[in-house]
Amino acid sequence: MIPFVPVFFSALKKYKSDLYMKSEIDSLQTKYQCCGSEYYTDWFAVSWVDETYLNMESQNVKSKLTGGEYLNDDVPFSCCNINTPRPCIHHHVHDNDRHYNYDYRTLVTLYKTGCRDALMDFYGDTVLTNSGIATLITCGLQLFLVVGVRYLQTSINTAVDTGDPEATSLGYFLYIPSGDKEKPGKDVKIKTKKKKKDKTSDEEEAVNEVGLSSEFEEADETTPLRKGKPEMELEESDF
């Protein structure tokens, strides 16, 4: 992980020479209402004003040169706090004598929050928190869909096993068999087949009983005729 402070300080040093970097830093400080890396005084240690805009012959400017670089208690205008009623003081910030009715120790017109803390608060508390909540909600919805589809699948399988796919049937998420018991759908199927078989056997027995009774009736009707025929023959032979 790259440390934030050294990288941001290297960007501050390019403020006066790189127009793109200057624009990005000003946008960053304005958008997140921050100044410097950790505090607005970070700008005091950076030569961010181009020498083209300085009177290098001035004794005041010469007194501020350190190693050939101009260092002063100045910050860019993007550090100005828009919520302060007083016009922004971003040059000679710590020089109370230069400004009327001003004391930087009690009232400063700059953002006091460093950009490191501002970015950490934004991405840590806002972005990551919202992303985590969105991820949990998405996982919850997916789990709900998986459970619902599982119940639907087992319900359809149970209905198909009973022989009537359109019938109302129960679903289950996890089926744990105990002993030799079959799944619920198979139990229903076996019971249905047994009922159909018992019904068929009852019908066959009823048909057999009707057939036997009809045979007995036919036998009763034909028997007297067979007995009566020899008697008539005997009577004719006597005469």
Side-chain angles (χ1 to χ4, degrees):
M1 182 177 179
I2 302 175
F4 180 86
V5 175
V7 174
F8 197 79
F9 259 104
S10 65
L12 297 184
K13 292 179 180 180
K14 296 179 181 179
Y15 185 88
K16 68 178 181 180
S17 59
D18 190 334
L19 183 60
Y20 174 77
M21 189 63 67
K22 176 182 180 299
S23 176
E24 289 296 316
I25 292 175
D26 285 336
S27 299
L28 174 68
Q29 294 186 144
T30 303
K31 180 179 180 180
Y32 294 99
Q33 299 185 351
C34 59
C35 185
S37 175
E38 297 181 282
Y39 201 56
Y40 69 84
T41 55
D42 293 339
W43 285 104
F44 297 174
V46 177
S47 178
W48 61 273
V49 180
D50 194 289
E51 287 77 7
T52 306
Y53 309 107
L54 295 173
N55 183 7
M56 303 303 295
E57 301 297 328
S58 173
Q59 292 298 323
N60 186 31
V61 173
K62 289 181 179 180
S63 64
K64 302 293 184 181
L65 293 176
T66 303
E69 294 184 343
Y70 178 76
L71 300 178
N72 193 28
D73 54 347
D74 304 328
V75 299
F77 76 97
S78 56
C79 286
C80 293
N81 189 344
I82 61 175
N83 297 316
T84 57
R86 184 186 181 115
C88 182
I89 297 175
H90 61 99
H91 289 292
H92 307 286
V93 177
H94 285 182
D95 192 350
N96 292 336
D97 296 334
R98 282 180 173 268
H99 312 288
Y100 175 74
N101 193 21
Y102 173 76
D103 188 355
Y104 73 91
R105 290 167 296 188
T106 58
L107 177 63
V108 67
T109 60
L110 308 175
Y111 295 121
K112 293 183 179 181
T113 304
C115 291
R116 183 189 66 173
D117 294 337
L119 291 175
M120 291 300 178
D121 290 341
F122 176 75
Y123 286 100
D125 297 339
T126 305
V127 176
L128 294 181
T129 301
N130 293 339
S131 299
I133 294 173
T135 302
L136 290 176
I137 292 174
T138 303
C139 293
L141 290 176
Q142 290 181 345
L143 179 61
F144 177 77
L145 290 175
V146 168
V147 173
V149 170
R150 173 59 178 167
Y151 274 101
L152 178 62
Q153 175 200 4
T154 54
S155 177
I156 293 174
N157 291 340
T158 303
V160 170
D161 289 341
T162 60
D164 186 3
E166 298 181 357
T168 302
S169 59
L170 298 177
Y172 52 89
F173 182 70
L174 294 175
Y175 177 74
I176 303 176
S178 57
D180 297 334
K181 291 184 179 181
E182 300 291 339
K183 291 184 177 181
K186 292 185 177 180
D187 292 341
V188 176
K189 185 176 180 181
I190 293 171
K191 291 179 181 179
T192 305
K193 287 185 176 180
K194 286 182 178 180
K195 287 182 179 180
K196 290 182 178 179
K197 186 175 181 181
D198 295 341
K199 185 177 180 180
T200 304
S201 60
D202 293 340
E203 291 178 354
E204 290 178 355
E205 290 179 359
V207 171
N208 292 335
E209 291 178 358
V210 172
L212 291 174
S213 61
S214 61
E215 289 179 0
F216 285 131
E217 290 177 358
E218 291 176 357
D220 292 340
E221 291 176 357
T222 53
T223 301
L225 293 175
R226 292 176 183 175
K227 291 179 180 180
K229 196 171 182 180
E231 291 178 357
M232 292 176 64
E233 291 177 355
L234 289 174
E235 290 176 359
E236 290 177 356
S237 62
D238 291 340
F239 292 103

